[in-house]
């Protein structure tokens, strides 16, 4: 009997804050307008602006900015694409690019950033979805990066535990606001739970693990109730006894040191914040995103240019509005 070989394809959506220097501002639209001007054919559909909602607007209207890749069938090409999109943002941006799931100095469940992975081209979507969901608690620890809220320690990821945009899994895999969904607009499995991180090598490992899980012939027994029971525990405490069995199963697919899941980005960020304070932490995150080195190197002065915000609104938000409305209609 001839075996079926999966040939999945992948796409990435990365959201990051741009702070000036400790809070996002509408100047972020100016940076997006610059990217759109550079390559309108690509960035019209591969960038987005996000905003706070409800009572969180009192802390600031602007949320993160989003860049996304094209579709790729190999991980190296996908990561090269992500690096190129990052470089285009870096080139235009004089604010601090802060890859966090939630800003340390805010308490705003609607003002969060994510790193989303789309998986397409699989023959058996249901099997791939269940297998990915089974390993998701462990995979999540590769990117947890949201340790604080309102200046206080929360855990591994305030965003995962509190964000409106994700949550426990439901029987309806098309429901948008959960950790992993079937995205009907794109015909992909979308992993929505991950926090943004600066570390491309961690992202490479995550993508290679996802690729191996999608391609494995084995079917793992996914327990939705167990997943929903432990997701908040993972968001707060990190690696726990409930995912030890998942770790052992992952090593059947691909061997990975346990320490990579136990030593998280959140731990590094919070330790640095305690020693160096807020502005230098955001500066270190910015430098890590730009160069790969987690070290504070610059602290720009506070900037909220009304002129540049206006240029960004006219040059980015207004032209993008028809596409935003169409996308919203297709997703719902």
């Amino acid at each position: 009997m001839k075996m079926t070989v999966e040939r999945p394809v992948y796409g990435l959506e990365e959201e990051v804050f741009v702070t000036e220097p400790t809070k996002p501002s509408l100047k972020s639209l100016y940076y997006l307008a610059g990217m759109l001007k550079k390559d309108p054919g690509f960035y019209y559909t591969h960038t987005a602006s996000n905003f706070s909602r409800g009572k969180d607007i009192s802390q600031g209207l602007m949320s993160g900015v989003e860049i996304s890749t094209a579709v790729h069938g190999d991980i190296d090409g996908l990561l090269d694409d992500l690096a190129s999109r990052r470089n285009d943002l870096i080139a235009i941006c004089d604010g601090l690019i802060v890859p966090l799931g939630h800003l340390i100095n805010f308490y705003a469940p609607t003002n969060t950033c994510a790193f989303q992975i789309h998986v397409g081209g699989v023959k058996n979507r249901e099997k791939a979805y269940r297998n990915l969901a089974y390993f998701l608690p462990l995979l999540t620890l590769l990117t947890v990066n949201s340790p604080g809220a309102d200046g206080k320690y929360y855990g591994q990821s305030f965003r995962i535990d509190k964000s409106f945009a994700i949550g426990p899994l439901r029987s309806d895999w098309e429901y948008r606001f959960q950790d992993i969904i079937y995205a009907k607009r794109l015909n992909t499995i979308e992993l929505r739970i991950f926090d943004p991180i600066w570390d491309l090598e961690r992202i490479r490992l995550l993508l290679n693990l996802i690729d191996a899980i999608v391609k494995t012939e084995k079917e793992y027994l996914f327990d939705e109730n167990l997943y929903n029971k432990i997701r908040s525990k993972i968001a707060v405490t990190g690696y726990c006894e409930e995912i030890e069995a998942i770790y052992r199963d992952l090593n059947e697919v691909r061997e990975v040191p346990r320490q990579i899941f136990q030593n998280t980005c959140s731990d590094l960020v919070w330790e640095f914040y305690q020693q160096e304070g807020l502005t230098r932490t955001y500066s270190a995150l910015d430098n890590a995103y730009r160069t790969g080195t987690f070290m504070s190197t610059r602290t720009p002065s506070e900037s909220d240019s009304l002129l540049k915000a206006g240029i960004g609104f006219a040059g980015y938000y207004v032209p993008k509005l028809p596409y935003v409305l169409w996308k919203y209609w297709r997703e719902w």
Side-chain angles (χ1 to χ4, degrees):
M1 183 172 117
K2 186 176 181 180
M3 292 194 329
T4 301
V5 178
E6 294 284 11
R7 301 188 184 278
V9 294
Y10 301 100
L12 302 177
E13 299 175 37
E14 179 176 75
E15 298 169 353
V16 292
F17 295 104
V18 180
T19 61
E20 311 274 353
T22 61
K23 295 183 178 182
S25 79
L26 292 176
K27 191 178 173 184
S28 294
L29 296 174
Y30 177 77
Y31 305 136
L32 291 172
M35 297 180 73
L36 184 61
K37 182 178 179 181
K38 177 180 180 179
D39 190 348
F42 186 83
Y43 284 125
Y44 189 78
T45 57
H46 288 271
T47 56
S49 56
N50 298 316
F51 301 94
S52 297
R53 304 182 182 197
K55 64 181 181 181
D56 292 341
I57 293 175
S58 65
Q59 298 174 72
L61 175 61
M62 191 70 205
S63 184
V65 301
E66 178 185 310
I67 54 177
S68 61
T69 68
V71 176
H72 293 268
D74 68 288
I75 303 303
D76 289 340
L78 181 64
L79 284 167
D80 287 345
D81 192 341
L82 177 62
S84 294
R85 305 308 149 204
R86 284 185 170 190
N87 287 337
D88 284 347
L89 176 60
I90 289 166
I92 194 69
C93 182
D94 55 21
L96 295 177
I97 302 173
V98 180
L100 283 175
H102 178 264
L103 291 170
I104 294 170
N105 50 321
F106 280 33
Y107 192 103
T110 72
N111 194 340
T112 58
C113 285
F115 183 76
Q116 297 161 345
I117 302 173
H118 288 265
V119 182
V122 293
K123 295 186 178 353
N124 188 338
R125 284 196 303 264
E126 291 80 5
K127 170 178 173 278
Y129 179 94
R130 289 192 300 271
N131 278 357
L132 287 168
Y134 175 76
F135 287 108
L136 197 55
L138 190 60
L139 299 179
T140 298
L141 293 176
L142 289 174
T143 69
V144 281
N145 191 28
S146 179
D150 196 26
K152 304 177 184 67
Y153 183 67
Y154 185 84
Q156 293 298 327
S157 182
F158 171 88
R159 170 187 162 269
I160 290 174
D161 204 28
K162 298 296 186 181
S163 174
F164 80 105
I166 54 176
L169 300 186
R170 304 184 176 206
S171 56
D172 179 8
W173 72 340
E174 291 185 1
Y175 177 74
R176 186 179 179 195
F177 297 130
Q178 54 186 327
D179 296 343
I180 178 174
I181 68 170
Y182 170 63
K184 57 186 175 182
R185 179 176 65 89
L186 298 173
N187 195 30
T188 60
I189 298 168
E190 181 181 353
L191 295 98
R192 298 171 55 84
I193 193 172
F194 302 117
D195 289 338
I197 58 172
W198 65 91
D199 190 341
L200 286 173
E201 289 310 306
R202 272 190 175 250
I203 294 173
R204 184 186 302 277
L205 174 59
L206 173 62
L207 291 169
N208 280 323
L209 289 173
I210 289 171
D211 187 60
I213 291 165
V214 169
K215 290 176 177 176
T216 185
E217 293 184 8
K218 186 170 181 178
E219 292 194 41
Y220 291 88
L221 185 61
F222 171 60
D223 185 336
E224 182 180 292
N225 292 327
L226 176 61
Y227 177 90
N228 290 336
K229 180 180 178 181
I230 67 174
R231 69 177 300 279
S232 290
K233 183 174 182 179
I234 291 164
V236 176
T237 64
Y239 199 96
C240 57
E241 61 181 354
E242 289 89 343
I243 59 174
E244 181 62 27
I246 300 174
Y247 172 74
R248 291 195 297 269
D249 285 340
L250 181 67
N251 277 263
E252 294 179 353
V253 179
R254 179 169 176 153
E255 291 188 6
V256 187
R258 184 182 283 100
Q259 289 78 8
I260 195 72
F261 303 104
Q262 295 173 324
N263 302 327
T264 65
C265 294
S266 269
D267 292 339
L268 174 61
V269 169
W270 189 254
E271 181 180 358
F272 192 92
Y273 170 69
Q274 288 182 301
Q275 295 173 358
E276 302 291 337
L278 182 67
T279 303
R280 287 180 62 82
T281 299
Y282 287 177
S283 174
L285 283 160
D286 172 78
N287 191 60
Y289 190 87
R290 294 172 186 266
T291 70
T293 301
F294 195 94
M295 178 177 66
S296 177
T297 58
R298 69 186 185 101
T299 305
S301 59
E302 186 172 350
S303 173
D304 191 7
S305 169
L306 290 176
L307 176 60
K308 288 187 174 180
I311 293 171
F313 184 81
Y316 183 77
Y317 189 77
V318 172
K320 280 273 295 188
L321 188 57
Y323 176 73
V324 171
L325 294 173
W326 172 85
K327 183 179 176 183
Y328 179 83
W329 174 76
R330 285 293 304 272
E331 286 175 346
W332 286 99

